[in-house]
């Protein structure tokens, strides 16, 4: 693990403007927009036909 | 008359849980309808619906299918309500981000289209949340996981992956965070300032951040870590990364760490890391009597004490005198118990700290160390502190911060219970919370009898919040509810009412 890289990425999060990818409750989108935060909402539905085990496997495979 | 239950399944149709709760509630108000529920067809949801008597027979669904259930007085009423629900589902989904906004179907396409995206806010059902978090981490996003019901093995694996990549993995079950002024999930609109917060407890973070902000000093960042981060299995991975991040952050001068009491090994590692920090720390392990801390850290037994320590000793609600206010309030004859009905889990824990320090015997469904469990024999005759956000109250229902009606039945019962002298209540406002919880609460307690218990509440929020803290307080006061500057002071007032002629037994605040 690179300690330096960890510091850089976390510091960047705390100093840069946020751009949020919202996955799930749509109500969070308006709250963020009302605060002037950039947000892109994912039109999510359960992957892998709603099979959580298959969804987890696909995520591990990077799909 | 026997109620009729009708079901319908929409294959491959997804709506988020809040949207489904809202539609379920609308359908339930149709005349003749006894109960209505629209839920995704996961095994846990099917079990909830079956236990509630909302399934008319065997049902075969996948997690991507939507189940509609209507229980009505007649088949005709059930059919009409089901038709209304189906019509509502056929309306176009609302377009978050405006009608013309393009909506990606995956995190991958969202990141491809928005290269400067830097954080994912994940609130999908728990069984799918780890997979989505992994996709976000794989694409270089920090993650706030609002979802709960994620296994501890998945949590550890995600946090290890995040640490390896230098990314913050906040959660699972992370209810709130404020990053660089952006309120994420259940968060309040706060003044910006020099106090950073690391929180393993959502409402604890909210109470401290709001008290600090309302006192005029602001918050730099509030990093949520999830309620299990300081357990032995996880080892404080995100907490330790958050300490590194806030140490390096020039906007942060003081840091508050709030959590339930950690595993001793994890506490030792975290405290050792704090000792190396150049910044001043406040440590609030709510429910712990003390902690061995280095010179740059102070221990706070309560959320209010934590806020005061972070404010450099400035007192919150200094003009509020619980003994004087308590002496003016009527005591209900023959009643000797305090009933706490909390939306906030950490506010419920803080109440247990204050009441036990005040000499009360307390029981809770979420007991802190030394407090009896509600279902134990020791709970008889105790004050009862109920966390209404606990699983037993929220399975298949929204959290009481979103839907304050979760508290209604318990509150109505308390109002007519002759043993109860005082009812303690909390209102948590801010983004994500109900639009006007004070009016809801006022409606429930309106028309209570002259001999009803004393009602005492605090409001966790700020003037900048959409609900406006002072407006919520005014509404509560117009309903005859006594409102105190903080949750701790609500508990102190409850003690003062109970011990009307005794000096308020202040806990270790000096």
């Amino acid at each position: 693990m690179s300690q330096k890289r960890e510091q850089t990425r976390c510091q960047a999060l705390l100093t840069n403007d946020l751009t949020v990818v919202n996955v799930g409750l749509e109500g969070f989108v308006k709250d963020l927009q009302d605060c002037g935060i950039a947000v892109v909402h994912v039109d999510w539905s359960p992957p892998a036909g709603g099979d959580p085990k298959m969804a987890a496997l696909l995520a591990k495979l990077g799909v | 008359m026997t109620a009729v239950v009708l079901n319908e399944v929409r294959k491959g149709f997804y709506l988020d849980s809040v949207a489904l709760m809202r539609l379920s509630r609308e359908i339930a108000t149709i005349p003749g309808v006894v109960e209505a529920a629209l839920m995704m067809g996961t095994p846990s949801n099917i079990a909830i619906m079956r236990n509630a008597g909302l399934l008319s027979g065997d049902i075969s669904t996948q997690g991507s299918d939507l189940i509609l259930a209507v229980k009505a007085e007649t088949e005709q009423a059930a059919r009409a309500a089901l038709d209304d629900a189906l019509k509502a589902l056929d309306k176009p989904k609302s377009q978050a981000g405006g009608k013309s906004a393009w909506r990606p179907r995956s995190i991958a396409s969202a990141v491809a289209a928005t290269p400067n995206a830097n954080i994912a806010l994940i609130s999908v059902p728990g069984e799918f949340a780890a997979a989505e978090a992994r996709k976000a981490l794989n694409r270089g996003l920090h993650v706030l996981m609002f979802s709960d019901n994620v296994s501890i093995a998945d949590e550890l694996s995600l946090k290890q992956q995040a640490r390896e990549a230098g990314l913050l993995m906040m959660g699972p079950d992370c209810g709130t965070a404020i990053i660089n002024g952006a309120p994420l999930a259940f968060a309040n609109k706060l003044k910006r300032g020099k106090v950073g917060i690391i929180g393993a407890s959502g409402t604890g973070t909210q109470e401290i951040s709001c008290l600090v902000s309302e006192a005029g000093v602001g918050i730099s960042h509030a990093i949520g870590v999830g309620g299990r981060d300081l357990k032995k299995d996880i080892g404080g991975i995100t907490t330790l990364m958050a300490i590194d991040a806030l140490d390096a952050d020039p906007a942060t001068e003081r840091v508050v760490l709030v959590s339930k009491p950690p595993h001793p090994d994890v506490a030792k590692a975290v405290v050792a890391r704090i000792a190396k920090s150049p910044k001043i720390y406040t440590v609030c392990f709510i429910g712990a009597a003390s902690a061995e801390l280095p010179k740059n850290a102070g221990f706070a037994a309560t959320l209010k004490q934590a806020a005061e320590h972070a404010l450099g000793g400035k007192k919150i609600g200094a003009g509020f005198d619980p003994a004087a206010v308590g002496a003016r309030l009527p005591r209900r004859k023959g009643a000797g118990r305090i009933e706490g009905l909390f939306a906030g889990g950490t506010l419920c824990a803080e109440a247990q700290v204050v009441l036990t320090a005040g000499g009360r015997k307390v029981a809770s469904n979420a007991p802190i160390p030394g407090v009896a469990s509600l279902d134990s024999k020791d709970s008889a005759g105790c004050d009862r502190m109920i966390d209404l956000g606990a699983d037993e109250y929220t399975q298949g229902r929204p959290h009481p911060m979103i839907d304050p009606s979760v508290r209604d039945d318990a509150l109505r019962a308390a109002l007519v219970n002759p043993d109860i002298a005082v009812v303690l209540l909390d209102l948590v406002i801010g983004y994500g919370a109900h639009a006007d919880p004070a009016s809801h609460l006022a409606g429930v307690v309106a028309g209570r009898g002259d001999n009803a218990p004393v009602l005492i509440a605090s409001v966790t929020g700020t003037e900048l919040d959409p609900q406006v803290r002072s407006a919520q307080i005014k509404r509560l006061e117009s309903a005859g509810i006594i409102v105190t500057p903080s949750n701790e002071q609500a508990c102190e007032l409850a003690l003062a009412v109970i011990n009307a002629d005794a000096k308020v037994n202040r806990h270790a605040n000096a």
Side-chain angles (χ1 to χ4, degrees), chain B residues 221-314:
Chain B
H221 312 279
I223 300 175
V225 300
R228 298 186 301 208
D229 193 64
L230 294 160
K231 286 189 180 290
K232 190 176 184 184
D233 307 88
I234 307 298
I237 291 175
T238 305
T239 300
L240 292 167
M241 287 181 70
I243 293 173
D244 289 343
L246 291 180
D247 266 6
D249 177 46
T252 303
E253 292 178 20
R254 306 181 76 114
V255 180
V256 180
L257 170 61
V258 57
S259 167
K260 289 175 188 160
H263 185 277
D265 294 349
V266 182
K268 201 180 280 183
V270 169
V271 167
R273 174 60 189 82
I274 288 173
K276 292 180 189 163
S277 169
K279 303 195 175 177
I280 302 167
Y281 273 72
T282 307
V283 175
C284 179
F285 292 150
I286 193 95
S290 63
E292 277 189 42
L293 297 174
K295 283 183 184 168
N296 64 328
F299 181 76
T302 65
L303 304 172
K304 173 171 158 280
Q305 281 182 31
E308 289 174 341
H309 190 265
L311 290 165
K314 183 178 176 181

Side-chain angles (χ1 to χ4, degrees), chain B residues 272-486:
Chain B
R273 174 60 189 82
I274 288 173
K276 292 180 189 163
S277 169
K279 303 195 175 177
I280 302 167
Y281 273 72
T282 307
V283 175
C284 179
F285 292 150
I286 193 95
S290 63
E292 277 189 42
L293 297 174
K295 283 183 184 168
N296 64 328
F299 181 76
T302 65
L303 304 172
K304 173 171 158 280
Q305 281 182 31
E308 289 174 341
H309 190 265
L311 290 165
K314 183 178 176 181
K315 293 291 174 193
I316 286 162
F320 178 78
D321 181 349
V325 176
R328 290 197 297 271
L329 294 172
R331 178 160 178 199
R332 193 181 198 189
K333 281 179 189 168
R337 279 207 304 110
I338 303 169
E339 182 94 341
L341 301 173
F342 291 95
T346 318
L347 300 169
C348 180
E350 184 181 46
Q352 295 171 54
V353 171
V354 178
L355 296 183
T356 51
R360 303 291 299 175
K361 286 188 174 171
V362 179
S364 174
N365 64 329
I368 63 167
V371 163
S373 173
L374 261 192
D375 51 16
S376 76
K377 278 188 285 183
D378 299 336
S379 67
C382 288
D383 296 334
R384 289 161 25 110
M385 298 298 117
I386 315 291
D387 173 8
L388 293 160
D391 288 349
E392 61 265 38
Y393 292 98
T394 53
Q395 209 171 36
R397 296 190 68 171
H399 192 278
M401 278 156 58
I402 300 174
D403 177 6
S405 67
V406 174
R407 176 156 52 191
D408 293 357
D409 288 346
L411 180 53
R412 288 194 187 99
L415 291 176
V416 297
N417 184 331
D419 296 336
I420 295 173
V422 179
V423 179
L424 275 171
L425 302 159
D426 63 342
L427 250 68
V428 184
I429 58 172
Y431 294 108
H434 188 269
D436 186 6
S439 291
H440 180 89
L441 192 54
V444 175
V445 303
R448 64 192 183 280
D450 293 339
N451 195 32
V454 174
L455 304 179
I456 302 172
S458 66
V459 178
T460 299
T462 73
E463 287 305 286
L464 302 172
D465 280 332
Q467 301 91 340
V468 185
R469 183 170 184 267
S470 59
Q472 291 288 295
I473 290 173
K474 203 170 169 185
R475 184 73 188 93
L476 292 177
E477 288 177 339
S478 73
I481 299 170
I482 314 297
V483 185
T484 58
S486 67

